[in-house]
Amino acid sequence: LVPYSDIVDFIRSQKYVENCTPQVSTMSALDFKKKKTPLYIFGVDGSQYVDLMSSINILEGEPFTLGQKGAMICDRIAENLKISLGDTIQFVVPDGPNYKIRSTPVTAIYNYEIYNDIFERFVLVDADTVRTLANIDSGNSVNDCTERMRRRYKEVFGA
C-alpha cells in the first residue's frame, strides 16, 4: 500500500501498539511437482514474524530474514505435498492471458501450538516475492490493489 513505510511507522507510533509486523498478501497457486494447490501467500519478514507470533514452533530450518528470498510452510502442508526443507516451490498467479511465476526455497517448516485448519491455507513468503506477484508497487492505490485481489480470487479459485 502507498506509502507503505509511512503506514508502518504510523502504526508503530501508536501508544497502544506494543509491536506489529507488516504483511502484504495475495492469492496464489503453490506449484510443487506439477501439483497446484490454491492458497494465500503472506509477504512478511520471516524472522520478525516468528518473533512476534510466539505460538509458532520452528521444526526445521530457520526463518528467512528481510531481503532474503524464502518460504516458510506449516508441517501439514509439507506433509500433504511431500515438501522438504530446502525444496524450491513455485507460486503462480494469473496475469491477464499469462501467468506470473516466482520460485523460492523452503527455509523453514513450522507448526502452531494450537492447530487450526486455516494454517493449511497460507504460506509465509518474503514480501518482495508477494509484491511482485501481486503487482504491488509505489504506483498502486489501495483501490487498485483491492480490485486486483477480487479479480485474482475469481481467476485462481474459480469463484
Side-chain angles (χ1 to χ4, degrees), residues 16-34:
Y16 295 111
V17 175
E18 185 176 321
N19 204 344
C20 72
T21 185
Q23 175 179 308
V24 294
S25 307
T26 195
M27 289 160 272
S28 175
L30 185 156
D31 188 356
F32 185 70
K33 295 186 178 177
K34 302 195 186 242

Side-chain angles (χ1 to χ4, degrees), residues 113-156:
E113 289 179 17
I114 299 174
Y115 179 75
N116 186 310
D117 287 346
I118 193 135
F119 303 136
E120 293 182 49
R121 296 185 197 140
F122 66 86
V123 174
L124 303 170
V125 182
D126 66 276
D128 287 338
T129 296
V130 176
R131 283 188 196 101
T132 300
L133 289 168
N135 288 327
I136 297 173
D137 62 33
S138 60
N140 289 323
S141 70
V142 173
N143 289 337
D144 291 340
C145 293
T146 301
E147 183 55 34
R148 190 174 298 108
M149 292 275 295
R150 284 189 184 121
R151 285 193 315 270
R152 185 152 299 133
Y153 180 86
K154 288 178 183 177
E155 292 169 344
V156 172

Side-chain angles (χ1 to χ4, degrees), residues 83-96:
I83 298 173
S84 300
L85 183 67
D87 283 344
T88 297
I89 56 178
Q90 292 185 326
F91 299 99
V92 181
V93 298
D95 187 27

Side-chain angles (χ1 to χ4, degrees), residues 58-75:
I58 300 293
L59 303 174
E60 297 180 59
E62 295 183 18
F64 53 86
T65 58
L66 189 61
Q68 178 186 13
K69 297 287 183 200
M72 300 187 302
I73 59 174
C74 80
D75 58 340

